[in-house]
Amino acid sequence: MFSRIAGSVGLKLSLFVSLIAILVFAILLVEGAVTEHRTTLKEVEARSISESQLIFSLIEKPMTVGNDEGTRNEFKFLASNFQNFSTNLLSFDGTISYSTSPEKNVLQPFDKIFTDPDLQALIRESLKNANKGSLLLRSRDSMEFTHVVGIANQ
C-alpha cells in the first residue's frame, strides 16, 4: 500500500489535501467551542451583575434606614423564592451580617465559610476598596459563578 502511495503523485496530493482539511476542521471545531465557552461566561457574568443590582435595590431601603428586621425579611424572601443562588452581606470586618442561609452563615467570618483562596482575596479587596469582581469557581463536581460587590459605608 505504501509503495502505491509513494509511486503516485495524485495519491500523495489527495492524502495531503485530506490531512489539511481534517486539520482545518479540527481547528475550527476547537475555536468554536472556545468561543462558545467565553460567550457563555460573559452572559453569565452580565446576568449575575444584573441580579446583584436587583438584590441590592431590594435590601437597600431597610438596610440604609437601620431596619434590621426588614433587612432580615428581605433575605428570607430571597432564600425562599430564589434557591438557585445565595447572597451574603458582610460587615466591614468580614463577618457575615445577613445571609440567605442564616443558620449556618450569620456571625461567621467569611473566610470560614468561603474557603477558596481566590474568592477570599476578591472579598478582602472588595471590603478594602468597595469594588466589584467576578470569579468562576470550579470543583470536581460543579462550577459556580460568584459576583462580589463592595458597598462603601454611607
Side-chain angles (χ1 to χ4, degrees):
M1 178 173 163
F2 290 113
S3 62
R4 186 171 173 206
I5 293 173
S8 172
V9 173
L11 281 176
K12 286 180 190 176
L13 187 59
S14 295
L15 187 59
F16 180 70
V17 169
S18 296
L19 287 174
I20 294 296
I22 290 170
L23 182 63
V24 167
F25 181 71
I27 289 171
L28 288 173
L29 194 65
V30 168
E31 191 271 333
V34 168
T35 301
E36 183 179 342
H37 180 73
R38 285 184 188 146
T39 302
T40 301
L41 287 179
K42 285 182 182 180
E43 288 177 14
V44 167
E45 182 175 24
R47 184 171 177 175
S48 175
I49 290 168
S50 176
E51 286 178 355
S52 71
Q53 290 169 340
L54 183 62
I55 291 166
F56 181 72
S57 68
L58 184 69
I59 64 171
E60 181 180 29
K61 187 173 181 183
M63 185 179 67
T64 55
V65 296
N67 183 348
D68 184 58
E69 188 60 33
T71 305
R72 289 188 197 288
N73 287 339
E74 295 298 349
F75 273 87
K76 285 177 188 173
F77 172 80
L78 290 171
S80 64
N81 291 294
F82 303 97
Q83 291 86 21
N84 61 332
F85 65 84
S86 64
T87 302
N88 298 281
L89 185 66
L90 282 62
S91 65
F92 68 94
D93 67 353
T95 302
I96 299 173
S97 301
Y98 301 97
S99 177
T100 51
S101 301
E103 59 284 342
K104 67 177 185 177
N105 290 355
V106 171
L107 300 179
Q108 297 291 323
F110 78 88
D111 53 0
K112 190 173 185 180
I113 303 297
F114 308 111
T115 57
D116 183 86
D118 293 332
L119 179 57
Q120 288 179 349
L122 180 61
I123 293 171
R124 280 190 188 91
E125 183 66 26
S126 292
L127 286 171
K128 183 178 176 183
N129 298 321
N131 58 357
K132 302 174 184 177
S134 299
L135 189 63
L136 183 65
L137 302 174
R138 301 170 196 256
S139 67
R140 266 189 290 163
D141 303 338
S142 65
M143 293 187 339
E144 287 184 16
F145 189 82
T146 303
H147 185 67
V148 176
V149 178
I151 303 169
N153 250 349
Q154 299 175 359

